[in-house]
Amino acid sequence: MCDQTFVAITFGPCDRCEKNFPLMSIYIQGEAATYCSFCVDTMACEGLTKGETLVTLKNESDSLKKKLEEERNKLHDIELHKVAEKVEVLGALPIKTRRVLKGHSNKVLCMDWCKDKRRLVSSSQDGKVIVWDAFTLNKEHGVTMPCTWVMACAYAPSGCAIACGGLDNKCCVFPLSLDKNENLAAKKKNVAMHTNYLSACSFTNSDMQILTSSGDGTCALWDVESSQLLQSFHGHTADVLSLHLAPSETGNTFVSGGCDKKCNVWDMRSGQNVQSFETHDSDVNCVRYYPSGDAFASASDDATCRLYDLRADREVAIYQKDSIIFGATSVDFSQSGRLLFAGYNDYTVNAWDVLKGTRVSILFGHENRISSLKVSPDGTAFCSASWDNTLRIWA
Amino acid sequence: MAEGSKDQGTVVMGTATSPTTPTPTTITITDPEEDSPNMIVYRKIEDIVMRIQDEKAGGVAIRTVKSFLSKIPSVVSVHVCVFVRSSVQVGSCVLGADIVQWLMKNLSIEDSAEAIHLGSLVAAQGYFFPISDHVLTLKDDGTLYRFQSPYFWPSNCWEPENTDYAIYLCKRTMQNKARLELADYEAENLARLQRAFARKWEFIFMQAEAQVKIDRKKDKAERKILDSQERAFWDVHRPVPGCVNTTEMDIRKCRRERNPHRVKKSVYGTPDDSQSPSPVHIPSSQPARKATREDVQKEISFLNIQLDRHCMKVSKVADSLMCYTEQFMEYDPFVAPMEPSNPWLTDDTSFWDLEAGSRDPSQQRVKKWGFSMEECLKDPAGRDQFLKFLESEFSSENLQFWLAVQELKRRPLQEVASRAQEIWQEFLAEGAPSSINLDSHSYERTSQNIKDPGRYSFEDAQEHIYKLMKSDSYARFLRSNVYQDLLLARKKQQPSDTEQGRRTSLEKFTRSVGKSLTGKRLTGLMQSS
């Protein structure tokens, strides 16, 4: 019952304590800020010169970024394609479609090779996950997922299981058996649980762990047997679309790419983001390590693919052409790292000379967007999955 | 070619009164979702399409067409086309061949097939279309193409309703014109829509009639242009069966579109009472979180770590990448020929069968083991040979430890603790049967870790042992007779007498024991030979 008049003020999170309170607009060192009354009092008592505000922190961060860029630029003494001028030019590549895998009734969204170099698993918008012997075109296993849009699938290193997931926000594992009458769906095991769609999944070098990435902006490492979360990776500020494990026998790192235009390298053991690259102009759809593990390539909706080197901590090559205006959706290296195959939304696959930065071949064949592309484990062929409901093997 | 004919005929540019000719002024859009993936492509296409039409700035010659109804010759030769100065301006078109030439010249395309493919995609998105038929592809000949009105551009995020489509099809049947006759699939669609909208049909019919009345008032030439543009719009949104539906979206990117909830916008301005949501997954939208102090503090510490990082110069890195690639190029099936052949090309699986057998690996394969210890260990045959060699030197415990720890990391979570203990007992504990030598620092760290055994308890130890093997055992392995024999494909002497025979069988025995990672070393047995 007071007869005080109140000034109309906004309600929301305070810039300093982040709690929801009625806010007051104040100026600190010339910058506007909104604080709750408690923080205003505290600030006033502490003195305005001390105390880190969001604004001063941002300034510090910006100056550090500038300094980092300067330091890195000092090491940028020459371009990769200039150094590569002395490398012999590649002759024309006689790459053709060698197999067409038909069987899906809707867009094929993802595929993965088996370590035996001829089998592969594919998943589709029709909810079906099929295991093929690509060499004979034989369909060996099939399972229908309860949810359509199965965006991710992976083959276990032993060849005895597959993992898949998508709009259901989960990643589940199916053990494969030689039994003709098997009911794969019955042996399904839910391993991962995200709060948004599953964009990619990959087994580590064992059937017992799975690494996943999701539209919820995180990646996670799971123990398959217990479905326990072993490690989670936070840092992306938007959907994570792709991940790839480093090929090293001794390493514990992986790289991820997302809709925040960033490619992040993570330490699996600590969950820390160890390196970050942000040079793309749009979503990063796919990331893949160079065979030595010292660099990785990315494919983006800005119609370019880029090569980032981990030791130089910067982008070292960009693969683009005026005539390529549609986004690149997937990339993979050939066995030696000399060629980079990239699938695009203009239905083509382009083969790039990694060192020289030039395009070696353009491959036509698919009748709709290419969603996924992977080179086989021994490098003898690569497979592309497309929205035209088919997969193609090229060699 | 094009330039020559321009002198002969008359070229009448689209006049300013025609509402369908896009003006060269840029359309400014203040839209936060400008950078959504689809928009990026649309803007690029729109830039191309504008440039093509901008004759002054190196665009393509624009032609007039005598009459819409007469057959347009689709002959490649440009000289056959007739240019007529006519008061009935039926619209400005360009030749398919000219578009292809323009694309090749202005987008640095060397092969016309690529230009045709790109042009066909631009047509399929609905930015230009052939005036005679409505197959949305680009042909490299005298086919005439008209540009779509910006009103109908896909970048306006159209999601036309079925009621609009019904009105449109209905409208077509009302006008007694040959060119507006429905194609088979359109007639089928109309029949289906009539069934679906049975109750609303009177309303739809009325709308169609009203449209026809308005259209009749328009200028004949203008109407023809608008009709063709409208039809091209529907060809995109209700494609001919068998054609790609270019309006399909990648579901992962849906939520960032300008119209995320796909609120239907009526093409003809009719209010739609049945707002049935489209069957698109709408993930819970996450508004961009305002950066908090913690976020920025984390960013600062991350940046500080990056500043401290020692980085290599690009020149050095480039040399390293080139070296690696060069070394492995002979193993790359896309660049070098495969022996005996690439299975995918010849349908002959010998290449895989040879790789699978780990006895008598090829020289090329053995050479790879010499590139680095990593390559050696990656190949199961290489790993076996290396282990065998170490056993012959009684120093295999290092590699066995390393392999055991690798295997530990692959175990399911609940087995990890017990297995880690086993490894400790086998290799590191006091009086361990296969004891390895660690520096005191690593030993300290490991003995601390083992109190709470986990997957990474042996990381330090493993790293130390790896370095040791690399600098010591691996180098000796490469110099060893065993390796050199394999590398140079020197045939082994056949075991002719029992002395030799016993030794080979003993070797086989120790090799198989070595494979079992917890096997005790058979010092006694080895010494007896």
Side-chain angles (χ1 to χ4, degrees):
Chain A
M1 249 118 51
C2 42
D3 52 6
Q4 287 174 306
T5 47
F6 289 90
V7 179
I9 45 181
T10 53
F11 190 88
C14 165
D15 277 349
R16 187 166 173 276
C17 67
E18 282 124 38
K19 298 204 188 85
N20 283 333
F21 280 119
L23 299 174
M24 296 164 67
S25 296
I26 55 169
Y27 285 86
I28 298 173
Q29 294 171 335
E31 299 281 354
T34 45
Y35 277 29
C36 65
S37 54
F38 180 72
C39 287
V40 168
D41 281 344
T42 327
M43 182 61 73
C45 295
E46 280 176 2
L48 295 174
T49 49
K50 274 195 263 169
E52 291 174 323
T53 66
L54 191 62
V55 162
T56 55
L57 282 177
K58 277 195 181 143
N59 287 339
E60 191 182 337
S61 164
D62 286 338
S63 71
L64 279 176
K65 276 187 198 152
K66 272 204 197 80
K67 193 170 165 202
L68 185 62
E69 205 177 311
E70 273 167 31
E71 287 298 308
R72 293 289 182 263
N73 283 337
K74 283 183 197 160
L75 299 171
H76 190 196
D77 51 349
I78 193 170
E79 295 288 340
L80 170 62
H81 61 83
K82 263 234 143 323
V83 177
E85 270 168 12
K86 56 187 175 209
V87 177
E88 222 178 278
V89 177
L90 284 173
L93 302 175
I95 302 176
K96 283 204 201 64
T97 301
R98 305 292 172 179
R99 301 281 194 281
V100 180
L101 302 173
K102 295 188 188 165
H104 281 293
S105 55
N106 210 324
K107 310 179 181 67
V108 187
L109 302 174
C110 187
M111 58 78 45
D112 192 23
W113 286 95
C114 175
K115 285 226 160 48
D116 75 356
K117 309 150 195 172
R118 50 190 284 175
R119 284 177 177 75
L120 53 89
V121 62
S122 63
S123 65
S124 161
Q125 191 190 324
D126 63 5
K128 290 216 170 46
V129 178
I130 301 178
V131 174
W132 315 72
D133 176 347
F135 196 70
T136 59
L137 297 183
N138 208 16
K139 295 186 197 52
E140 298 194 335
H141 306 268
V143 65
T144 306
M145 297 290 282
C147 181
T148 58
W149 284 94
V150 189
M151 301 163 183
C153 61
Y155 223 121
S158 68
C160 300
I162 53 166
C164 56
L167 276 192
D168 55 357
N169 300 358
K170 298 191 202 120
C171 182
C172 25
V173 174
F174 294 90
L176 299 173
S177 75
L178 292 167
D179 178 11
K180 283 279 167 197
N181 299 322
E182 71 182 352
N183 179 11
L184 272 187
K187 297 189 242 154
K188 173 166 131 175
K189 188 175 176 39
N190 281 343
V191 174
M193 207 38 198
H194 277 280
T195 54
N196 214 316
Y197 66 87
L198 186 84
S199 53
C201 61
S202 170
F203 284 89
T204 61
N205 48 17
S206 134
D207 284 16
M208 291 296 128
Q209 285 114 42
I210 282 199
L211 192 57
T212 59
S213 66
S214 163
D216 64 14
T218 68
C219 301
L221 181 68
W222 309 81
D223 180 71
V224 173
E225 217 188 33
S226 60
S227 303
Q228 209 175 314
L229 174 68
L230 296 172
Q231 183 64 260
S232 68
F233 306 90
H234 297 263
H236 278 288
T237 51
D239 308 17
V240 185
L241 296 178
S242 169
L243 58 83
H244 192 221
L245 279 145
S248 162
E249 292 284 300
T250 53
N252 281 321
T253 58
F254 73 94
V255 63
S256 66
C259 294
D260 55 358
K261 310 175 195 174
K262 286 202 194 129
C263 302
N264 288 340
V265 180
W266 308 86
D267 180 307
M268 280 207 282
R269 197 175 150 191
S270 62
Q272 290 303 309
N273 175 8
V274 290
Q275 273 178 283
S276 184
F277 304 87
E278 190 177 352
T279 61
H280 273 294
D281 298 322
S282 186
D283 301 2
V284 177
N285 292 316
C286 184
V287 285
R288 271 303 183 272
Y289 271 99
Y290 177 82
S292 73
D294 293 320
F296 67 89
S298 60
S300 164
D301 276 333
D302 65 5
T304 69
C305 297
R306 296 174 200 236
L307 183 70
Y308 297 92
D309 189 286
L310 298 175
R311 299 159 298 184
D313 195 34
R314 65 181 297 123
E315 173 191 302
V316 292
I318 175 168
Y319 308 101
Q320 64 184 351
K321 252 182 164 305
D322 286 342
S323 53
I324 299 177
I325 58 175
F326 286 83
T329 57
S330 45
V331 276
D332 206 356
F333 285 96
S334 70
Q335 192 86 324
S336 63
R338 182 66 195 270
L339 290 169
L340 181 71
F341 299 108
Y344 291 79
N345 281 336
D346 65 4
Y347 321 169
T348 67
V349 175
N350 287 283
W352 298 90
D353 182 326
V354 172
L355 302 174
K356 291 184 180 285
T358 54
R359 187 193 52 200
V360 183
S361 266
I362 177 169
L363 303 170
F364 298 100
H366 276 296
E367 292 163 10
N368 207 327
R369 300 190 195 189
I370 292 172
S371 52
S372 180
L373 188 155
K374 285 200 182 108
V375 173
S376 74
D378 63 353
T380 47
F382 70 85
C383 177
S384 55
S386 165
W387 281 19
D388 66 5
N389 306 359
T390 68
L391 295 112
R392 279 175 184 248
I393 310 286
W394 307 78
Chain B
M1 216 164 63
E3 276 66 48
S5 57
K6 223 185 349 189
D7 296 326
Q8 289 167 20
T10 43
V11 180
V12 178
M13 288 274 282
T15 57
T17 54
S18 163
T20 55
T21 317
T23 54
T25 54
T26 49
I27 303 164
T28 48
I29 295 177
T30 48
D31 190 340
E33 258 98 36
E34 248 330 277
D35 60 349
S36 83
N38 275 11
M39 279 301 155
I40 294 178
V41 182
Y42 291 147
R43 295 302 172 216
K44 285 185 197 165
I45 295 177
E46 283 157 20
D47 177 66
I48 289 172
V49 156
M50 300 285 240
R51 279 161 63 195
I52 292 180
Q53 292 175 85
D54 193 354
E55 233 188 349
K56 295 197 198 89
V60 172
I62 300 191
R63 324 281 173 185
T64 53
V65 176
K66 182 189 178 208
S67 161
F68 202 105
L69 287 172
S70 63
K71 278 216 148 212
I72 312 294
S74 55
V75 176
V76 180
S77 169
V78 168
H79 302 289
V80 177
C81 282
V82 177
F83 303 120
V84 173
R85 196 193 295 271
S86 166
S87 57
V88 179
Q89 184 202 304
V90 192
S92 21
C93 302
V94 297
L95 288 168
D98 287 348
I99 296 180
V100 174
Q101 286 302 311
W102 188 94
L103 289 172
M104 284 177 72
K105 181 169 157 217
N106 289 276
L107 297 180
S108 326
I109 299 176
E110 280 142 23
D111 180 15
S112 66
E114 204 186 325
I116 292 169
H117 180 83
L118 177 61
S120 295
L121 278 171
V122 173
Q125 298 286 331
Y127 282 92
F128 56 70
F129 52 91
I131 61 171
S132 46
D133 64 41
H134 282 260
V135 178
L136 294 175
T137 55
L138 178 64
K139 292 206 200 113
D140 188 12
D141 56 19
T143 313
L144 286 160
Y145 290 84
R146 175 169 291 130
F147 290 91
Q148 182 58 284
S149 153
Y151 176 70
F152 284 130
W153 278 357
S155 47
N156 292 330
C157 294
W158 287 109
E159 253 288 281
E161 256 295 11
N162 276 331
T163 42
D164 284 338
Y165 188 44
I167 293 169
Y168 166 68
L169 288 176
C170 216
K171 194 167 70 156
R172 289 248 307 266
T173 60
M174 287 175 179
Q175 297 162 293
N176 209 359
K177 287 194 161 56
R179 67 177 164 91
L180 294 177
E181 240 173 58
L182 292 182
D184 286 342
Y185 78 96
E186 285 173 321
E188 272 172 39
N189 285 347
L190 183 57
R192 223 178 329 115
L193 287 166
Q194 268 180 313
R195 284 196 300 273
F197 290 133
R199 283 189 289 152
K200 291 210 282 188
W201 200 254
E202 210 181 302
F203 168 75
I204 289 171
F205 196 81
M206 269 167 38
Q207 292 299 311
E209 274 187 327
Q211 296 262 327
V212 169
K213 267 205 199 108
I214 296 169
D215 284 348
R216 281 211 185 102
K217 295 199 187 118
K218 289 196 190 130
D219 168 60
K220 191 173 167 197
E222 206 184 302
R223 223 171 68 211
K224 279 180 182 156
I225 296 170
L226 284 173
D227 283 347
S228 67
Q229 285 174 331
E230 194 184 16
R231 185 161 178 182
F233 170 80
W234 286 109
D235 284 338
V236 170
H237 290 274
R238 296 289 185 276
V240 178
C243 285
V244 173
N245 184 347
T246 57
T247 61
E248 274 183 323
M249 297 258 297
D250 185 339
I251 205 168
R252 304 171 301 178
K253 324 258 176 164
C254 271
R255 75 172 107 149
R256 280 143 58 223
E257 287 301 303
R258 206 205 289 194
N259 204 0
H261 297 284
R262 310 300 264 174
V263 173
K264 313 261 186 200
K265 192 163 55 169
S266 173
V267 184
Y268 304 111
T270 54
D272 182 46
D273 49 346
S274 65
Q275 283 277 0
S276 52
S278 47
V280 163
H281 173 83
I282 316 281
S284 55
S285 57
Q286 295 164 324
R289 212 166 47 99
K290 207 167 85 169
T292 63
R293 264 196 20 228
E294 268 98 51
D295 289 339
V296 187
Q297 272 165 342
K298 263 192 218 156
E299 199 177 40
I300 288 172
S301 53
F302 177 80
L303 289 166
N304 279 319
I305 294 172
Q306 298 306 310
L307 276 166
D308 282 339
R309 174 196 297 279
H310 170 72
C311 292
M312 282 169 66
K313 283 200 199 149
V314 176
S315 52
K316 251 189 125 185
V317 145
D319 279 334
S320 157
L321 290 172
M322 275 166 55
C323 244
Y324 181 92
T325 293
E326 199 139 5
Q327 201 175 41
F328 283 89
M329 264 175 74
E330 68 176 278
Y331 299 92
D332 188 340
F334 280 102
V335 181
M338 284 290 105
E339 297 296 327
S341 68
N342 187 329
W344 299 102
L345 268 66
T346 58
D347 285 348
D348 172 18
T349 61
S350 331
F351 178 72
W352 287 333
D353 298 334
L354 285 170
E355 286 271 311
S358 66
R359 43 164 58 204
D360 291 350
S362 69
Q363 277 177 286
Q364 202 189 30
R365 191 171 162 190
V366 174
K367 185 165 117 181
K368 223 197 228 185
W369 305 343
F371 291 166
S372 68
M373 191 167 74
E374 168 121 12
E375 283 299 322
C376 183
L377 292 174
K378 223 195 258 186
D379 186 343
R383 195 167 59 222
D384 282 348
Q385 287 293 334
F386 189 25
L387 190 62
K388 190 170 133 184
F389 165 73
L390 289 173
E391 277 160 6
S392 72
E393 291 202 331
F394 311 109
S395 60
S396 63
E397 60 275 358
N398 283 343
L399 182 57
Q400 285 182 8
F401 168 71
W402 188 85
L403 290 170
V405 178
Q406 287 293 91
E407 200 266 337
L408 167 72
K409 289 192 267 195
R410 294 183 191 137
R411 290 274 180 122
L413 190 59
Q414 59 185 32
E415 292 177 22
V416 165
S418 58
R419 182 77 192 112
Q421 283 290 353
E422 281 173 21
I423 291 177
W424 172 264
Q425 289 302 319
E426 176 70 24
F427 296 99
L428 287 162
E430 283 276 319
S434 319
S435 74
I436 57 171
N437 280 327
L438 275 188
D439 62 299
S440 55
H441 176 75
S442 305
Y443 194 86
E444 267 305 305
R445 289 275 289 272
T446 312
S447 51
Q448 282 301 313
N449 290 343
I450 207 65
K451 290 185 182 151
D452 180 18
R455 202 180 299 273
Y456 298 111
S457 298
F458 299 103
E459 282 304 278
D460 289 324
Q462 206 191 17
E463 210 178 299
H464 178 85
I465 291 292
Y466 191 83
K467 285 198 190 113
L468 199 64
M469 284 196 295
K470 201 157 123 174
S471 59
D472 184 33
S473 328
Y474 176 66
R476 278 185 289 114
F477 170 62
L478 294 183
R479 290 195 298 267
S480 73
N481 286 335
V482 178
Y483 180 74
Q484 290 296 321
D485 285 350
L486 284 171
L487 184 64
L488 303 168
R490 289 198 282 252
K491 293 256 186 278
K492 280 204 194 106
Q493 279 181 338
Q494 292 304 315
S496 50
D497 52 270
T498 45
E499 247 295 285
Q500 290 238 336
R502 223 178 48 213
R503 212 180 294 148
T504 10
S505 62
L506 190 58
E507 274 176 17
K508 281 189 192 147
F509 179 61
T510 38
R511 197 191 322 154
S512 66
V513 165
K515 277 202 176 108
S516 136
L517 298 168
T518 54
K520 294 187 190 292
R521 286 193 306 129
L522 304 156
T523 336
L525 267 172
M526 293 290 277
Q527 283 171 344
S528 73
S529 72

